[in-house]
Amino acid sequence: IAGITQAPTSQILAAGRRMTLRCTQDMRHNAMYWYRQDLGLGLRLIHYSNTAGTTGKGEVPDGYSVSRANTDDFPLTLASAVPSQTSVYFCASSLMIGQPQHFGDGTRLSIL
Amino acid sequence: GIQVEQSPPDLILQEGANSTLRCNFSDSVNNLQWFHQNPWGQLINLFYIPSGTKQNGRLSATTVATERYSLLYISSSQTTDSGVYFCAVDRGAQKLVFGQGTRLTINP
């Protein structure tokens, strides 16, 4: 079934540890995005990628990095996790920037 | 930056009722999308509607770009319609700005 797969579905992590959230899509979409969803703050864009090989910063990029080595994969890395990064993380994709976005099921991340 | 306001913040209805959700935005936009986040947390794209009216089954949406608002109509509500409805806008840049959502509860 075509769509976006995120892994893991949930994770508890000690502060200071490194963590990579995985995102894979099989729709051959050019654009991909990472959001975090927090109570009272809604969804906020962390990083995005217009196409393979390019990335850009969103609204809340600090503490996160991304890479886009190919069309399908867009991993999000927390180099040294902090408790304020406790959130639900959503990966999304669209055929191109500005087109309808489709979301994965999210990763619930708790930093202790 | 652009502001997106949704109303009402919460709505509780009985099954079979109709509802209208509103999204106001503070500046001109290139596109507007409506999403449904179900009780399991999944986000589903309902409409991509920068202007005009679209319908999909019991749901329809209208965006009046010149007056900076969009409406989502849900007719004959079902319990599976429960969840949070978000509108999100962008101005052609990479950043999709989300509203705070309307939490809809449909009681049997």
Side-chain angles (χ1 to χ4, degrees):
Chain A
I1 298 175
I4 300 176
T5 301
Q6 291 187 236
T9 54
S10 65
Q11 182 77 44
I12 299 173
L13 189 69
R17 298 295 296 270
R18 180 185 179 89
M19 176 72 190
T20 296
L21 307 185
R22 300 185 299 277
C23 176
T24 299
Q25 55 100 0
D26 61 3
M27 297 178 283
R28 306 306 293 172
H29 283 176
N30 289 300
M32 296 186 75
Y33 317 81
W34 275 105
Y35 294 88
R36 58 179 290 174
Q37 185 177 26
D38 302 289
L39 277 174
L41 296 174
L43 283 112
R44 294 178 293 167
L45 182 66
I46 305 171
H47 285 287
Y48 66 91
S49 169
N50 288 345
T51 189
T54 69
T55 63
K57 294 181 179 180
E59 183 181 357
V60 287
D62 294 344
Y64 305 96
S65 64
V66 291
S67 61
R68 187 87 183 277
N70 56 61
T71 297
D72 298 344
D73 301 301
F74 191 42
L76 176 75
T77 297
L78 290 68
S80 179
V82 295
S84 62
Q85 292 178 310
T86 293
S87 187
V88 181
Y89 290 86
F90 286 97
C91 179
S93 72
S94 61
L95 183 60
M96 298 182 68
I97 288 284
Q99 294 296 302
Q101 293 189 19
H102 301 276
F103 283 73
D105 288 346
T107 293
R108 185 174 297 275
L109 185 63
S110 297
I111 313 297
L112 304 178
Chain B
I2 193 168
Q3 303 298 313
V4 181
E5 295 184 1
Q6 292 187 242
S7 60
D10 292 280
L11 187 59
I12 301 174
L13 298 171
Q14 291 299 120
E15 200 167 24
N18 302 328
S19 59
T20 301
L21 282 57
R22 187 177 181 99
C23 173
N24 292 334
F25 41 96
S26 60
D27 208 337
S28 60
V29 299
N30 280 21
N31 78 74
L32 184 144
Q33 302 181 43
W34 281 98
F35 296 88
H36 175 219
Q37 186 166 37
N38 64 27
W40 296 271
Q42 297 170 317
L43 277 158
I44 307 299
N45 193 307
L46 298 175
F47 293 103
Y48 174 86
I49 185 166
S51 64
T53 297
K54 290 186 177 180
Q55 181 152 7
N56 184 0
R58 295 180 297 103
L59 274 60
S60 65
T62 295
T63 296
V64 184
T66 54
E67 297 188 21
R68 300 179 185 170
Y69 73 89
S70 182
L71 302 174
L72 178 68
Y73 305 96
I74 305 174
S75 64
S76 304
S77 299
Q78 300 176 359
T79 55
T80 52
D81 295 329
S82 295
V84 182
Y85 290 81
F86 292 100
C87 75
V89 302
D90 80 60
R91 302 185 66 190
Q94 301 80 0
K95 180 181 173 183
L96 198 62
V97 178
F98 284 76
Q100 293 297 303
T102 291
R103 180 174 298 278
L104 178 64
T105 302
I106 305 298
N107 291 321

